[in-house]
C-alpha cells in the first residue's frame, strides 16, 4: 500500500445487518467496488479505524460503530516481468495453453499490482505476446477467477488473439469444469439457464436475475455423490462472470469453500472425517476433537478441459488439466470409502 496522502476518506456507521461480523468482512460489503485483497491491504497499512482506533481485521463490529477508511491516491498501473513459474500444457508460435494454479489473478489491477499471470507471461515470453489486450493484458484472451485452477489459453500474436476471441464470442470453445460442491445439486443432472448480473444489494456478487443481466447456460451432471459433498461436471455454453459458481449455488449446491456464494470459507480435517462417516453410515454428528488442519481454503473449482480450433491451422485442439492436489485431498478419502463399499 502506497504511503501517499489519502485521496478519499469514507466514513460508515455499522448497521444492524453487519453487527457481529468481522471488520474485514464488513468492509468487503461496505466497499463492494474493492477486492478483498485491497481491503486487507488497507487494514494492514493502518488506513482503517474503528471508533477512532486502529483495528485488526478479525475484530467483531457492533451496531453503531464508526468506521473510517482512508483510501490512498491511486498510482499508475504497469505490468512488469516477474519470475513466476508457469505450468505449460502446450505451446507453439501462436498460442500458450496453461494449467493455471489457484491463487493467481489474470492481470494487474489496483488490488493486485504484481504477482499476476501477466507478470509471469512477460517474464517468460516478453514482447512475443499479443497486444490486443493493451499494456496490462498482453496475451490474455480469457480469464479464470483468482482461486479457480485449470486450462487457460493465451495468444502470442494479434492474429491468434483475434481468432481465439471470435471463437469464444461465437461459443465455439468447449469449456468443461469440475467442482466439488457443498451439498448435492437438485436435480443431480440438468441445465441452468437464465440471466446473470450483479446483485442490486451487493455489487461484488452476481446472481440469477428476473430481468436485466446477460443470458447464461450451463449443463451439469453429478459424477460422484458422497451425500454431503459431490464432484460435479459443468459444461459452460456461455462465459459469464462467476457463471459456474452462481449456477451451482442456484441449484442448492454451491462450490465448496466459495467465499462469495458458499456456506463456508475453509474445509478442515474434521469436516472431511464427518463427510466420510456420513457417506459410509449415514451418521450426521460432527466428530469430536479439534478441527485439525485446513484441507481446502479456496473455491473447489477447476477448469478441467478446454477445446478449440487452432487460430491459424484450424485443427481441433483439446487439453486437460489434472485435478489439483487440494481438491484431490478432499476426494481421496471419499473415493477410498466408496471403493471399500463396493
Amino acid at each position: 500500500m502506497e504511503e501517499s496522502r489519502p485521496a478519499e476518506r469514507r466514513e460508515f456507521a455499522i448497521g444492524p445487518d453487519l453487527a457481529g461480523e468481522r471488520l474485514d468482512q464488513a468492509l468487503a460489503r461496505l466497499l463492494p467496488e474493492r477486492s478483498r485483497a485491497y481491503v486487507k491491504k488497507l487494514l494492514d497499512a493502518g488506513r482503517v479505524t474503528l471508533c477512532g482506533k486502529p483495528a485488526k481485521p478479525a475484530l467483531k463490529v457492533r451496531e453503531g460503530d464508526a468506521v473510517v477508511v482512508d483510501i490512498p491516491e491511486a498510482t499508475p498501473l504497469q505490468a512488469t516481468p516477474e519470475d513466476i513459474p508457469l505450468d505449460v500444457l502446450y505451446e507453439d508460435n501462436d498460442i500458450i495453453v496453461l494449467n493455471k494454479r489457484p491463487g493467481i489473478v489474470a492481470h494487474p489491477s489496483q488490488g493486485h499490482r504484481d504477482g499476476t499471470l501477466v507478470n509471469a507471461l512477460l517474464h517468460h515470453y516478453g514482447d512475443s505476446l499479443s497486444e490486443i489486450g493493451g499494456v496490462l493484458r498482453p496475451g490474455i484472451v480469457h480469464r479464470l477467477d483468482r482461486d479457480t485452477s485449470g486450462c487457460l489459453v493465451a495468444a502470442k500474436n494479434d492474429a491468434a488473439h483475434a481468432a481465439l476471441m471470435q471463437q469464444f464470442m461465437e461459443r465455439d470453445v468447449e469449456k468443461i469444469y469440475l467442482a466439488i460442491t457443498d451439498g448435492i445439486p437438485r436435480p443431480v443432472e440438468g441445465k441452468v439457464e437464465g440471466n446473470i448480473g450483479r446483485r442490486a444489494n451487493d455489487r461484488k456478487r452476481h446472481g440469477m436475475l428476473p430481468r436485466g443481466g446477460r443470458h447464461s447456460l450451463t449443463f451439469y451432471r453429478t459424477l460422484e455423490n458422497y451425500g454431503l459433498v459431490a464432484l460435479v461436471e459443468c459444461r459452460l455454453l456461455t462465459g459469464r462472470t462467476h457463471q459456474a459458481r452462481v449456477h451451482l449455488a442456484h441449484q442448492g449446491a454451491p462450490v465448496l469453500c466459495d467465499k462469495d456464494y458458499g456456506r463456508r470459507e475453509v474445509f478442515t480435517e474434521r469436516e472431511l472425517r464427518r463427510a466420510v462417516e456420513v457417506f459410509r453410515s449415514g451418521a450426521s454428528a460432527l466428530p469430536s476433537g479439534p478441527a485439525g488442519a485446513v484441507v481446502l481454503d479456496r473455491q473447489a473449482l477447476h477448469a478441467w478441459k478446454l477445446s478449440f480450433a487452432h487460430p491459424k491451422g484450424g485443427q481441433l485442439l483439446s487439453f486437460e488439466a489434472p485435478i489439483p492436489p487440494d481438491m484431490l485431498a478432499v476426494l481421496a478419502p471419499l473415493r477410498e470409502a466408496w471403493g471399500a463399499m463396493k
Side-chain angles (χ1 to χ4, degrees), residues 33-62:
E33 73 281 7
R34 303 289 182 174
S35 69
R36 288 176 183 264
Y38 187 82
V39 168
K40 182 179 184 302
K41 288 182 179 181
L42 288 172
L43 286 160
D44 291 345
R47 293 184 175 274
V48 180
T49 61
L50 181 65
C51 298
K53 298 179 180 179
K56 295 186 179 297
L59 191 65
K60 297 293 182 67
V61 298
R62 298 173 297 181

mmCIF file of all heavy atoms in Angstrom, residues 33-62:
data_model
loop_
_atom_site.group_PDB
_atom_site.id
_atom_site.type_symbol
_atom_site.label_atom_id
_atom_site.label_comp_id
_atom_site.label_asym_id
_atom_site.label_seq_id
_atom_site.Cartn_x
_atom_site.Cartn_y
_atom_site.Cartn_z
ATOM 1 N N GLU A 33 -16.919 -2.119 -4.399
ATOM 2 C CA GLU A 33 -16.138 -1.866 -5.611
ATOM 3 C C GLU A 33 -14.674 -2.271 -5.440
ATOM 4 O O GLU A 33 -13.913 -2.261 -6.410
ATOM 5 C CB GLU A 33 -16.223 -0.395 -6.010
ATOM 6 C CG GLU A 33 -15.445 0.568 -5.127
ATOM 7 C CD GLU A 33 -16.141 0.920 -3.810
ATOM 8 O OE1 GLU A 33 -17.189 0.311 -3.500
ATOM 9 O OE2 GLU A 33 -15.626 1.806 -3.102
ATOM 10 N N ARG A 34 -14.286 -2.640 -4.218
ATOM 11 C CA ARG A 34 -12.900 -3.009 -3.928
ATOM 12 C C ARG A 34 -12.791 -4.515 -3.689
ATOM 13 O O ARG A 34 -13.720 -5.134 -3.164
ATOM 14 C CB ARG A 34 -12.391 -2.267 -2.680
ATOM 15 C CG ARG A 34 -12.482 -0.757 -2.767
ATOM 16 C CD ARG A 34 -11.460 -0.195 -3.742
ATOM 17 N NE ARG A 34 -11.517 1.275 -3.782
ATOM 18 C CZ ARG A 34 -10.674 2.025 -4.446
ATOM 19 N NH1 ARG A 34 -9.689 1.469 -5.125
ATOM 20 N NH2 ARG A 34 -10.793 3.346 -4.457
ATOM 21 N N SER A 35 -11.657 -5.090 -4.045
ATOM 22 C CA SER A 35 -11.443 -6.518 -3.839
ATOM 23 C C SER A 35 -11.134 -6.795 -2.369
ATOM 24 O O SER A 35 -10.744 -5.901 -1.606
ATOM 25 C CB SER A 35 -10.271 -7.015 -4.699
ATOM 26 O OG SER A 35 -9.047 -6.483 -4.228
ATOM 27 N N ARG A 36 -11.277 -8.061 -1.963
ATOM 28 C CA ARG A 36 -10.931 -8.452 -0.597
ATOM 29 C C ARG A 36 -9.446 -8.208 -0.331
ATOM 30 O O ARG A 36 -9.052 -7.828 0.773
ATOM 31 C CB ARG A 36 -11.275 -9.928 -0.376
ATOM 32 C CG ARG A 36 -12.769 -10.212 -0.284
ATOM 33 C CD ARG A 36 -13.019 -11.711 -0.171
ATOM 34 N NE ARG A 36 -14.441 -12.017 -0.144
ATOM 35 C CZ ARG A 36 -15.150 -12.209 0.957
ATOM 36 N NH1 ARG A 36 -14.542 -12.128 2.127
ATOM 37 N NH2 ARG A 36 -16.429 -12.492 0.913
ATOM 38 N N ALA A 37 -8.614 -8.473 -1.347
ATOM 39 C CA ALA A 37 -7.180 -8.265 -1.183
ATOM 40 C C ALA A 37 -6.881 -6.788 -0.926
ATOM 41 O O ALA A 37 -6.017 -6.450 -0.102
ATOM 42 C CB ALA A 37 -6.428 -8.756 -2.412
ATOM 43 N N TYR A 38 -7.589 -5.889 -1.608
ATOM 44 C CA TYR A 38 -7.367 -4.456 -1.414
ATOM 45 C C TYR A 38 -7.797 -4.035 -0.009
ATOM 46 O O TYR A 38 -7.101 -3.265 0.657
ATOM 47 C CB TYR A 38 -8.136 -3.664 -2.465
ATOM 48 C CG TYR A 38 -7.838 -2.182 -2.441
ATOM 49 C CD1 TYR A 38 -6.709 -1.677 -3.078
ATOM 50 C CD2 TYR A 38 -8.666 -1.299 -1.771
ATOM 51 C CE1 TYR A 38 -6.418 -0.317 -3.055
ATOM 52 C CE2 TYR A 38 -8.393 0.059 -1.739
ATOM 53 C CZ TYR A 38 -7.269 0.551 -2.381
ATOM 54 O OH TYR A 38 -6.983 1.888 -2.351
ATOM 55 N N VAL A 39 -8.941 -4.566 0.440
ATOM 56 C CA VAL A 39 -9.409 -4.264 1.796
ATOM 57 C C VAL A 39 -8.380 -4.725 2.822
ATOM 58 O O VAL A 39 -8.092 -4.018 3.800
ATOM 59 C CB VAL A 39 -10.776 -4.928 2.047
ATOM 60 C CG1 VAL A 39 -11.138 -4.882 3.530
ATOM 61 C CG2 VAL A 39 -11.863 -4.234 1.226
ATOM 62 N N LYS A 40 -7.803 -5.901 2.613
ATOM 63 C CA LYS A 40 -6.778 -6.410 3.531
ATOM 64 C C LYS A 40 -5.571 -5.483 3.575
ATOM 65 O O LYS A 40 -5.004 -5.218 4.647
ATOM 66 C CB LYS A 40 -6.342 -7.820 3.116
ATOM 67 C CG LYS A 40 -5.312 -8.451 4.047
ATOM 68 C CD LYS A 40 -4.945 -9.854 3.597
ATOM 69 C CE LYS A 40 -4.000 -10.519 4.591
ATOM 70 N NZ LYS A 40 -2.756 -9.772 4.795
ATOM 71 N N LYS A 41 -5.164 -4.973 2.412
ATOM 72 C CA LYS A 41 -4.024 -4.060 2.370
ATOM 73 C C LYS A 41 -4.337 -2.760 3.114
ATOM 74 O O LYS A 41 -3.460 -2.202 3.790
ATOM 75 C CB LYS A 41 -3.646 -3.766 0.918
ATOM 76 C CG LYS A 41 -2.985 -4.945 0.213
ATOM 77 C CD LYS A 41 -2.591 -4.587 -1.211
ATOM 78 C CE LYS A 41 -1.903 -5.758 -1.899
ATOM 79 N NZ LYS A 41 -1.493 -5.444 -3.281
ATOM 80 N N LEU A 42 -5.565 -2.272 3.001
ATOM 81 C CA LEU A 42 -5.951 -1.075 3.750
ATOM 82 C C LEU A 42 -5.825 -1.315 5.250
ATOM 83 O O LEU A 42 -5.290 -0.478 5.991
ATOM 84 C CB LEU A 42 -7.386 -0.679 3.405
ATOM 85 C CG LEU A 42 -7.646 -0.089 2.018
ATOM 86 C CD1 LEU A 42 -9.141 0.061 1.783
ATOM 87 C CD2 LEU A 42 -6.955 1.268 1.858
ATOM 88 N N LEU A 43 -6.301 -2.470 5.703
ATOM 89 C CA LEU A 43 -6.228 -2.798 7.128
ATOM 90 C C LEU A 43 -4.782 -2.969 7.579
ATOM 91 O O LEU A 43 -4.376 -2.444 8.622
ATOM 92 C CB LEU A 43 -7.024 -4.080 7.395
ATOM 93 C CG LEU A 43 -8.547 -3.928 7.366
ATOM 94 C CD1 LEU A 43 -9.222 -5.273 7.153
ATOM 95 C CD2 LEU A 43 -9.027 -3.295 8.673
ATOM 96 N N ASP A 44 -3.997 -3.679 6.775
ATOM 97 C CA ASP A 44 -2.597 -3.915 7.135
ATOM 98 C C ASP A 44 -1.800 -2.620 7.191
ATOM 99 O O ASP A 44 -0.845 -2.501 7.968
ATOM 100 C CB ASP A 44 -1.942 -4.882 6.138
ATOM 101 C CG ASP A 44 -2.485 -6.290 6.237
ATOM 102 O OD1 ASP A 44 -3.155 -6.597 7.252
ATOM 103 O OD2 ASP A 44 -2.270 -7.084 5.303
ATOM 104 N N ALA A 45 -2.179 -1.646 6.367
ATOM 105 C CA ALA A 45 -1.463 -0.373 6.323
ATOM 106 C C ALA A 45 -1.951 0.608 7.376
ATOM 107 O O ALA A 45 -1.460 1.740 7.447
ATOM 108 C CB ALA A 45 -1.604 0.251 4.935
ATOM 109 N N GLY A 46 -2.915 0.202 8.214
ATOM 110 C CA GLY A 46 -3.426 1.080 9.259
ATOM 111 C C GLY A 46 -4.304 2.194 8.756
ATOM 112 O O GLY A 46 -4.441 3.239 9.411
ATOM 113 N N ARG A 47 -4.920 1.991 7.584
ATOM 114 C CA ARG A 47 -5.753 3.037 6.982
ATOM 115 C C ARG A 47 -7.224 2.914 7.370
ATOM 116 O O ARG A 47 -8.068 3.611 6.814
ATOM 117 C CB ARG A 47 -5.602 3.013 5.458
ATOM 118 C CG ARG A 47 -4.205 3.417 4.990
ATOM 119 C CD ARG A 47 -4.128 3.472 3.473
ATOM 120 N NE ARG A 47 -2.835 3.961 3.029
ATOM 121 C CZ ARG A 47 -2.511 5.241 2.886
ATOM 122 N NH1 ARG A 47 -3.420 6.165 3.172
ATOM 123 N NH2 ARG A 47 -1.319 5.598 2.474
ATOM 124 N N VAL A 48 -7.532 2.024 8.327
ATOM 125 C CA VAL A 48 -8.909 1.842 8.790
ATOM 126 C C VAL A 48 -8.942 2.026 10.302
ATOM 127 O O VAL A 48 -8.133 1.430 11.029
ATOM 128 C CB VAL A 48 -9.439 0.435 8.434
ATOM 129 C CG1 VAL A 48 -10.873 0.266 8.932
ATOM 130 C CG2 VAL A 48 -9.358 0.194 6.932
ATOM 131 N N THR A 49 -9.856 2.846 10.777
ATOM 132 C CA THR A 49 -10.057 2.978 12.222
ATOM 133 C C THR A 49 -11.475 2.576 12.577
ATOM 134 O O THR A 49 -12.413 2.768 11.790
ATOM 135 C CB THR A 49 -9.796 4.420 12.703
ATOM 136 O OG1 THR A 49 -10.722 5.318 12.046
ATOM 137 C CG2 THR A 49 -8.370 4.843 12.402
ATOM 138 N N LEU A 50 -11.604 2.008 13.764
ATOM 139 C CA LEU A 50 -12.902 1.604 14.295
ATOM 140 C C LEU A 50 -13.111 2.356 15.601
ATOM 141 O O LEU A 50 -12.316 2.196 16.541
ATOM 142 C CB LEU A 50 -12.943 0.098 14.517
ATOM 143 C CG LEU A 50 -14.256 -0.492 15.048
ATOM 144 C CD1 LEU A 50 -15.371 -0.316 14.035
ATOM 145 C CD2 LEU A 50 -14.077 -1.969 15.394
ATOM 146 N N CYS A 51 -14.121 3.205 15.622
ATOM 147 C CA CYS A 51 -14.388 4.059 16.798
ATOM 148 C C CYS A 51 -13.148 4.868 17.180
ATOM 149 O O CYS A 51 -12.814 5.001 18.359
ATOM 150 C CB CYS A 51 -14.877 3.207 17.967
ATOM 151 S SG CYS A 51 -16.434 2.332 17.644
ATOM 152 N N GLY A 52 -12.445 5.346 16.161
ATOM 153 C CA GLY A 52 -11.313 6.222 16.384
ATOM 154 C C GLY A 52 -9.993 5.539 16.656
ATOM 155 O O GLY A 52 -8.975 6.218 16.836
ATOM 156 N N LYS A 53 -9.954 4.206 16.664
ATOM 157 C CA LYS A 53 -8.723 3.484 16.964
ATOM 158 C C LYS A 53 -8.384 2.526 15.826
ATOM 159 O O LYS A 53 -9.279 1.961 15.200
ATOM 160 C CB LYS A 53 -8.880 2.681 18.263
ATOM 161 C CG LYS A 53 -9.159 3.543 19.486
ATOM 162 C CD LYS A 53 -9.331 2.673 20.718
ATOM 163 C CE LYS A 53 -9.617 3.528 21.952
ATOM 164 N NZ LYS A 53 -9.808 2.688 23.163
ATOM 165 N N PRO A 54 -7.077 2.326 15.554
ATOM 166 C CA PRO A 54 -6.689 1.320 14.555
ATOM 167 C C PRO A 54 -7.249 -0.038 14.935
ATOM 168 O O PRO A 54 -7.283 -0.396 16.125
ATOM 169 C CB PRO A 54 -5.158 1.343 14.615
ATOM 170 C CG PRO A 54 -4.822 2.683 15.181
ATOM 171 C CD PRO A 54 -5.923 3.019 16.141
ATOM 172 N N ALA A 55 -7.689 -0.789 13.948
ATOM 173 C CA ALA A 55 -8.399 -2.047 14.238
ATOM 174 C C ALA A 55 -7.822 -3.193 13.441
ATOM 175 O O ALA A 55 -7.339 -3.024 12.324
ATOM 176 C CB ALA A 55 -9.886 -1.888 13.934
ATOM 177 N N LYS A 56 -7.900 -4.383 14.034
ATOM 178 C CA LYS A 56 -7.444 -5.597 13.368
ATOM 179 C C LYS A 56 -8.589 -6.208 12.561
ATOM 180 O O LYS A 56 -9.766 -6.042 12.909
ATOM 181 C CB LYS A 56 -6.924 -6.606 14.393
ATOM 182 C CG LYS A 56 -5.679 -6.127 15.125
ATOM 183 C CD LYS A 56 -5.125 -7.208 16.009
ATOM 184 C CE LYS A 56 -3.851 -6.725 16.725
ATOM 185 N NZ LYS A 56 -2.781 -6.429 15.738
ATOM 186 N N PRO A 57 -8.266 -6.943 11.503
ATOM 187 C CA PRO A 57 -9.307 -7.485 10.613
ATOM 188 C C PRO A 57 -10.334 -8.372 11.314
ATOM 189 O O PRO A 57 -11.511 -8.359 10.954
ATOM 190 C CB PRO A 57 -8.497 -8.295 9.583
ATOM 191 C CG PRO A 57 -7.129 -7.679 9.610
ATOM 192 C CD PRO A 57 -6.914 -7.230 11.012
ATOM 193 N N ALA A 58 -9.888 -9.153 12.322
ATOM 194 C CA ALA A 58 -10.778 -10.136 12.939
ATOM 195 C C ALA A 58 -11.692 -9.547 14.004
ATOM 196 O O ALA A 58 -12.569 -10.248 14.531
ATOM 197 C CB ALA A 58 -9.956 -11.272 13.543
ATOM 198 N N LEU A 59 -11.533 -8.264 14.328
ATOM 199 C CA LEU A 59 -12.349 -7.645 15.363
ATOM 200 C C LEU A 59 -13.819 -7.622 14.955
ATOM 201 O O LEU A 59 -14.162 -7.267 13.830
ATOM 202 C CB LEU A 59 -11.858 -6.227 15.626
ATOM 203 C CG LEU A 59 -12.428 -5.520 16.863
ATOM 204 C CD1 LEU A 59 -11.992 -6.225 18.128
ATOM 205 C CD2 LEU A 59 -11.980 -4.062 16.890
ATOM 206 N N LYS A 60 -14.709 -8.031 15.873
ATOM 207 C CA LYS A 60 -16.143 -8.038 15.580
ATOM 208 C C LYS A 60 -16.714 -6.631 15.742
ATOM 209 O O LYS A 60 -16.415 -5.947 16.731
ATOM 210 C CB LYS A 60 -16.873 -9.009 16.513
ATOM 211 C CG LYS A 60 -16.454 -10.462 16.370
ATOM 212 C CD LYS A 60 -16.857 -11.013 15.020
ATOM 213 C CE LYS A 60 -16.472 -12.490 14.885
ATOM 214 N NZ LYS A 60 -17.231 -13.358 15.780
ATOM 215 N N VAL A 61 -17.517 -6.218 14.797
ATOM 216 C CA VAL A 61 -18.106 -4.884 14.856
ATOM 217 C C VAL A 61 -19.481 -4.941 15.507
ATOM 218 O O VAL A 61 -20.156 -5.976 15.496
ATOM 219 C CB VAL A 61 -18.203 -4.257 13.443
ATOM 220 C CG1 VAL A 61 -16.820 -4.099 12.832
ATOM 221 C CG2 VAL A 61 -19.087 -5.102 12.525
ATOM 222 N N ARG A 62 -19.879 -3.792 16.053
ATOM 223 C CA ARG A 62 -21.185 -3.694 16.706
ATOM 224 C C ARG A 62 -22.017 -2.600 16.031
ATOM 225 O O ARG A 62 -21.467 -1.682 15.430
ATOM 226 C CB ARG A 62 -21.009 -3.376 18.186
ATOM 227 C CG ARG A 62 -20.257 -4.448 18.974
ATOM 228 C CD ARG A 62 -19.967 -3.995 20.389
ATOM 229 N NE ARG A 62 -19.089 -2.822 20.382
ATOM 230 C CZ ARG A 62 -18.648 -2.224 21.495
ATOM 231 N NH1 ARG A 62 -18.995 -2.701 22.674
ATOM 232 N NH2 ARG A 62 -17.857 -1.175 21.408
#
